[in-house]
Amino acid sequence: MRRHHRTTPRVTRLLGSLLLLAAGTFTLGAAPAEHPSAGQRDAAPLGGIVPAPASVEPGGAPYRITRDTAVRVDDNREVRRVGAYLAGILRPSTGYRLPLTTHGHGGIRLRLGKGPFGAEGYRLHSGADGVTLTARTPAGLFHGVQTLRQLLPAAVERDSVQPGPWQVAGGTVQDAPRYPYRGAMLDVSRHFFTVRQVERYIDELALYKINELHLHLSDDQGWRIAIDSWPRLATYGGSTQVGGGPGGHYTKADYREIVRYAASRYLEVVPEIDMPGHTNAALASYAELNCNGTAPPLYTGTDVGFSSLCAPKPVTYDFADDVIRELAALTPGRYLHIGGDEAHSTSHADYVTFMDRVQPIVARYGKTVVGWHQLTGATPAKGALAQYWGLDDTDPAEKAQVVKAAQHGTGLVLSPADRLYLDMKYTEDTPLGQDWAGLVEVRRAYDWDPGHYLQGAPDSAIRGVEAPLWTETIRTSADIDFMAFPRLPGAAELGWSPAAGHDWDAYKVRLAAQAPRWDALGIGYYRSPQVPWPAG
Ligand code: TNX
């Protein structure tokens, strides 16, 4: 039985309103204890961050960053880089020099060391003399830096000098993620987003320790990545978008820049070419890819399920080979997502044939297959990941097929559409988004357990969660922010924090405390009535 079962969005909304009343009282009562000194008005208590750390031992004197503070790093290129990133955040708002040095003691120290940190965990110790971050890897240090950021007052995020003081509560945080895959997807096909816009989103994801950026690079409405051997995919297939705007595509240099920027924030890029359905942009670009040899027009609507690559034609697999080879060569990450959803105009037999032929191509170019969970209706390759995007009440037979694949070794990434689809409206009044999977308020997005979501799936099969943002109705960075905030941090916490600490009432208080940080960063968000936002 699921512990956090919700019945309908209406009930969730009602509960939300009741909780709001309760929360208002609670926050007012709790505020003085949580914020002991006036100068620390919006500095977090140790552990009062998102995602919640695995363990927190508050105590001892706090550390105050001053004009004499240095950032001390190991003599190691990557550690130095993480230190420079941290100093880059702290300098504009504190106005301090914060020199990077490998000498001395005290201050903010970033060091690699042994400990029970795993590949991404860290320890943060804060006391009168300084803050020390220790991790086994630079990725762990980077995540520790995000924790340190959130322990400082929100004004630290501003890009002009602020009054401070810049104090970090005393104590020790020991932290490591629950799941190795904590993803966010951006659909750059339905509406195209520039490199700068994607990088802005990457920075927002990094703040919440998300480590996978899934880019939905092709769909009916647009092909967004240059492929040298099939140049019209991008130049023609990428020349429009939903509603008929100019579209766009990434050159290989653009894509490499996104990959580089993501890596600098310790995110792995998971590129997706959606096949065999969702392929009108490709079919429009090359007549020979169509079974009837005729190219359809470009498509700027929002229907799904009408297009298919031609499974019986040999050229289909030359195409897939070229695209996958070129994309794999651009991608240092482990994964290549081949879509596979809503192939409604591909027969089941053709679908299976297609997947049987295309999955080995992905392996040949050194990548691991990821597919939407319909892939489990074919034969997932050894080591493949299936991304579940069903609903709580998806047909049990469909869930059983996914569970069975998981029992046979297919890894699962959970993206339940009625929980984690960031394009679902919050309420019926939300101006953006869709509602085919229902309304997804903040509590609904957070209040479920990935470990108990698909009955019968072995624990070891659950690799993590991903929050997709489809962009049929999303055009700008402000649109992205409004749909992602405040639900994205909840998805991040589901992926990072231990199940034992999962608690909506505690979470919503930590979430509310993020709002001044979003204000400082220029991130607009939905002021859900379920969350006890600070006044003002
Ligand atoms: C379903 S989820 C889709 C997308 C749409 C999305 C809109 C999935 C694998 N396919 O093509 O953009 O719904 O919410």
XYZ file of all heavy atoms in Angstrom, residues 219-222 232 236-237 239-240 279-287 290 292 294-301 306-307:
220
model
N 11.067 16.210 -32.109
C 9.664 15.806 -32.008
C 8.980 16.210 -33.304
O 9.653 16.634 -34.251
C 9.000 16.450 -30.770
C 7.914 15.548 -30.191
O 6.952 15.232 -30.925
O 8.032 15.142 -29.024
N 7.663 16.071 -33.360
C 6.956 16.412 -34.588
C 7.200 17.862 -35.014
O 7.293 18.168 -36.189
C 5.450 16.187 -34.384
C 5.127 14.708 -34.238
O 5.726 13.902 -34.987
O 4.308 14.363 -33.369
N 7.304 18.740 -34.036
C 7.335 20.180 -34.339
C 8.724 20.736 -34.613
O 8.842 21.879 -35.066
C 6.696 20.954 -33.180
C 5.230 20.628 -32.957
C 5.012 19.396 -32.082
O 5.944 18.633 -31.807
N 3.784 19.188 -31.653
N 9.771 19.988 -34.290
C 11.088 20.557 -34.567
C 12.233 19.615 -34.256
O 12.198 18.890 -33.261
N 19.381 18.561 -43.539
C 18.053 19.207 -43.564
C 17.252 18.981 -42.276
O 16.279 19.695 -42.015
C 17.238 18.697 -44.775
C 17.470 19.520 -46.024
C 16.755 18.930 -47.232
N 15.283 18.886 -47.105
C 14.486 19.929 -47.346
N 14.996 21.103 -47.683
N 13.170 19.801 -47.250
N 15.879 22.510 -42.045
C 14.468 22.555 -42.422
C 13.590 22.053 -41.278
O 12.682 22.745 -40.825
C 14.243 21.725 -43.698
C 12.818 21.758 -44.185
C 12.283 22.924 -44.741
C 11.992 20.616 -44.081
C 10.956 22.951 -45.178
C 10.677 20.644 -44.523
C 10.163 21.812 -45.073
O 8.856 21.840 -45.498
N 13.926 20.868 -40.772
C 13.115 20.273 -39.701
C 13.123 21.105 -38.432
O 12.235 20.978 -37.586
N 13.075 24.437 -38.479
C 12.790 25.828 -38.851
C 11.456 26.363 -38.347
O 11.043 27.455 -38.736
C 12.869 25.978 -40.379
O 11.821 25.226 -40.977
N 10.779 25.593 -37.507
C 9.543 26.133 -36.937
C 9.310 25.530 -35.557
O 10.183 24.837 -35.018
C 8.340 25.906 -37.889
O 7.234 26.677 -37.425
C 7.962 24.429 -37.963
N 8.028 11.984 -35.013
C 9.125 12.201 -35.964
C 8.729 13.031 -37.177
O 9.413 13.006 -38.201
C 9.665 10.838 -36.459
O 8.564 9.967 -36.709
C 10.581 10.208 -35.428
N 7.636 13.806 -37.080
C 7.218 14.544 -38.275
C 8.303 15.482 -38.809
O 8.446 15.642 -40.021
C 5.943 15.335 -38.004
C 5.376 15.911 -39.288
O 4.780 15.192 -40.077
N 5.607 17.197 -39.531
N 9.057 16.113 -37.905
C 10.085 17.059 -38.384
C 11.114 16.343 -39.258
O 11.565 16.882 -40.275
C 10.772 17.746 -37.202
N 11.475 15.118 -38.884
C 12.429 14.340 -39.698
C 11.764 13.880 -40.997
O 12.357 13.982 -42.079
C 12.927 13.132 -38.907
N 10.531 13.414 -40.883
C 9.807 12.923 -42.069
C 9.581 14.039 -43.081
O 9.595 13.813 -44.295
C 8.465 12.312 -41.644
C 8.577 11.088 -40.725
C 7.224 10.762 -40.095
C 9.116 9.875 -41.495
N 9.388 15.261 -42.578
C 9.182 16.416 -43.463
C 10.484 16.814 -44.152
O 10.476 17.361 -45.250
C 8.637 17.598 -42.649
N 11.604 16.508 -43.512
C 12.905 16.929 -44.033
C 13.444 15.992 -45.110
O 14.205 16.413 -45.974
C 13.928 17.007 -42.882
O 13.461 17.855 -41.864
N 13.065 14.716 -45.044
C 13.575 13.710 -45.978
C 12.446 12.779 -46.428
O 11.996 11.921 -45.655
C 14.708 12.899 -45.332
C 15.967 13.718 -45.180
C 16.273 14.342 -43.977
C 16.829 13.895 -46.268
C 17.418 15.120 -43.853
C 17.973 14.676 -46.154
C 18.261 15.289 -44.946
O 19.383 16.060 -44.835
N 12.047 12.915 -47.667
C 10.940 12.117 -48.205
C 11.215 10.617 -48.074
O 10.308 9.827 -47.798
C 10.697 12.487 -49.670
N 9.844 8.283 -45.336
C 8.423 7.935 -45.256
C 8.131 6.645 -46.020
O 8.692 6.419 -47.101
C 7.589 9.067 -45.876
C 7.733 10.370 -45.089
O 6.961 10.632 -44.171
N 8.735 11.176 -45.432
N 5.613 5.953 -47.711
C 5.057 6.252 -49.046
C 5.971 7.147 -49.878
O 5.596 7.588 -50.958
C 3.658 6.878 -48.916
C 3.717 8.261 -48.269
O 4.809 8.772 -47.994
N 2.554 8.854 -48.030
N 6.754 10.171 -49.599
C 6.336 11.576 -49.717
C 6.529 12.299 -48.392
O 6.068 11.810 -47.352
C 4.835 11.655 -50.106
O 4.647 10.881 -51.284
C 4.404 13.088 -50.335
N 7.182 13.439 -48.451
C 7.409 14.206 -47.223
C 6.145 14.970 -46.831
O 5.581 15.670 -47.655
C 8.559 15.180 -47.423
N 5.708 14.839 -45.582
C 4.575 15.648 -45.115
C 5.047 17.083 -44.864
O 6.252 17.323 -44.799
C 4.190 14.985 -43.789
C 5.471 14.401 -43.277
C 6.262 14.002 -44.510
N 4.103 18.014 -44.727
C 4.515 19.379 -44.367
C 5.022 19.448 -42.930
O 4.744 18.545 -42.134
C 3.231 20.200 -44.523
C 2.107 19.223 -44.511
C 2.656 17.881 -44.914
N 5.729 20.528 -42.646
C 6.122 20.778 -41.254
C 4.857 20.903 -40.411
O 3.793 21.246 -40.923
C 6.940 22.077 -41.171
C 8.319 22.033 -41.831
C 8.921 23.439 -41.917
C 9.253 21.091 -41.071
N 4.987 20.642 -39.122
C 3.811 20.612 -38.247
C 3.995 21.576 -37.079
O 5.039 21.562 -36.415
C 3.612 19.192 -37.716
C 2.395 19.052 -36.830
C 1.107 19.139 -37.365
C 2.535 18.845 -35.462
C -0.011 19.029 -36.553
C 1.416 18.729 -34.638
C 0.151 18.820 -35.189
O -0.952 18.711 -34.390
N 2.991 22.404 -36.822
C 3.110 23.394 -35.743
C 1.973 23.276 -34.728
O 1.800 24.145 -33.883
C 3.136 24.828 -36.311
O 1.918 25.055 -37.017
C 4.320 25.031 -37.246
N 1.202 22.196 -34.819
C 0.122 21.963 -33.850
C 0.632 21.206 -32.633
O 1.848 21.109 -32.414
N 0.723 10.816 -34.595
C 0.353 10.677 -36.008
C 1.523 10.343 -36.920
O 1.331 10.052 -38.084
C -0.336 11.956 -36.511
C 0.534 13.177 -36.427
C 1.381 13.513 -37.484
C 0.522 13.986 -35.295
C 2.199 14.635 -37.402
C 1.335 15.113 -35.210
C 2.178 15.431 -36.270
N 2.739 10.401 -36.422
C 3.899 10.235 -37.304
C 4.669 8.960 -36.946
O 4.673 8.542 -35.789
C 4.831 11.436 -37.141
O 5.207 11.593 -35.780
